Amino acid sequence: MATYDPTSLDRALGVIGRMQRRDFLAFTGAAAATLGAGAAAAGSTIAVPQLKSINEAETRIFLRVAEVVLPVEGTPLTPWKPAELLGTLDGALLGTMEPHILAGLKGGLAYFNDGPKAQHGKTFIELDDATAAAFLDAWGNSDQPPHRGLSMGLKKLVQLSYWANPASWAPTGYDGPISKKNGLVSLGNAPLPTR
C-alpha cells in the first residue's frame, strides 16, 4: 500500500476543503478558457503529456472518480468529456496549487488508489462502479482524517471541474453568476449586514 506524507497531504486537503462557492465562481472564467485548450490537446484520446499537473496514473484516478460521482449519462444533465474535465481540473484547479500542496495531493492520490487492495484485492481504478462508489462512501465516512479528506477532496475537485463548464449549467436553469450580470462589485469576505 502506498504511503503518504501527512504534512503535505493535510495541507492539500485543507486547500481543497476550504474551496467554497466563491472559489468556484472565481475560477469559472479561467476554467472556460482552459476548456478549449484542454480539448484541443486531448483530441479523442487523453494526451497526458499535455497536462501540466498530473501524470497518466493520476489522470486515470481522477477519471475513475468522475465515472463514479458524475453518472450523468441518460439524464438531462450535460455529459462530461474527459478532455474538458481534465483541462479544467489541470488548468484551473491543480495548476493554481502551490507546488508543495500539489505534491501532497499527488501522494494522496497514490495512497487512495491503493486503499481498496486490502479488502478487495484491487486498486480503486480497477473496481466496478458499485464497489468504487461504496469505497468512496466508506472513506468519506471514515474516522481516519486522511481517508475522509481524500474521498471528499477528490469528489469536490471532480465536481468543481464539471460544474465550471458553462455548458453544464443550462439543464439546471442556471445562467451564470448574477453578480456579473448585474454588475455587482465583490466585497470579498465582508460580513453580511446585521439589519
Side-chain angles (χ1 to χ4, degrees):
M1 189 170 279
T3 60
Y4 70 96
D5 172 9
T7 305
S8 60
L9 177 59
D10 287 345
R11 280 191 214 123
L13 296 176
V15 168
I16 296 166
R18 286 189 302 275
M19 287 182 177
Q20 298 175 352
R21 178 181 167 276
R22 185 178 309 265
D23 301 313
F24 167 73
L25 294 174
F27 78 77
T28 299
T34 61
L35 288 175
S44 61
T45 60
I46 301 161
V48 176
Q50 299 297 325
L51 299 175
K52 295 180 176 116
S53 304
I54 52 177
N55 63 32
E56 185 177 353
E58 294 157 349
T59 297
R60 279 194 230 113
I61 297 166
F62 276 114
L63 287 176
R64 188 67 186 117
V65 171
E67 290 168 353
V68 175
V69 302
L70 294 173
V72 297
E73 291 295 327
T75 74
L77 296 176
T78 305
W80 56 272
K81 296 178 178 100
E84 291 175 353
L85 190 79
L86 291 171
T88 302
L89 177 69
D90 187 56
L93 293 171
L94 303 180
T96 63
M97 288 183 175
E98 294 291 327
H100 66 284
I101 302 292
L102 182 60
L105 178 61
K106 287 169 145 303
L109 279 167
Y111 176 69
F112 171 81
N113 192 43
D114 285 344
K117 280 185 177 178
Q119 184 177 3
H120 301 288
K122 297 178 180 180
T123 62
F124 177 75
I125 62 172
E126 297 170 322
L127 298 176
D128 62 72
D129 289 350
T131 308
F135 176 76
L136 273 166
D137 289 344
W139 270 37
N141 294 317
S142 172
D143 61 354
Q144 299 294 313
H147 293 182
R148 219 175 30 251
L150 279 165
S151 176
M152 294 183 329
L154 294 177
K155 285 180 184 180
K156 190 177 237 185
L157 286 169
V158 166
Q159 290 166 342
L160 284 171
S161 297
Y162 172 76
W163 290 109
N165 180 356
S168 68
W169 303 345
T172 67
Y174 178 66
D175 59 354
I178 194 168
S179 56
K180 285 186 180 181
K181 286 188 290 193
N182 291 334
L184 300 175
V185 178
S186 172
L187 298 176
N189 288 325
L192 292 172
T194 57
R195 293 182 187 215

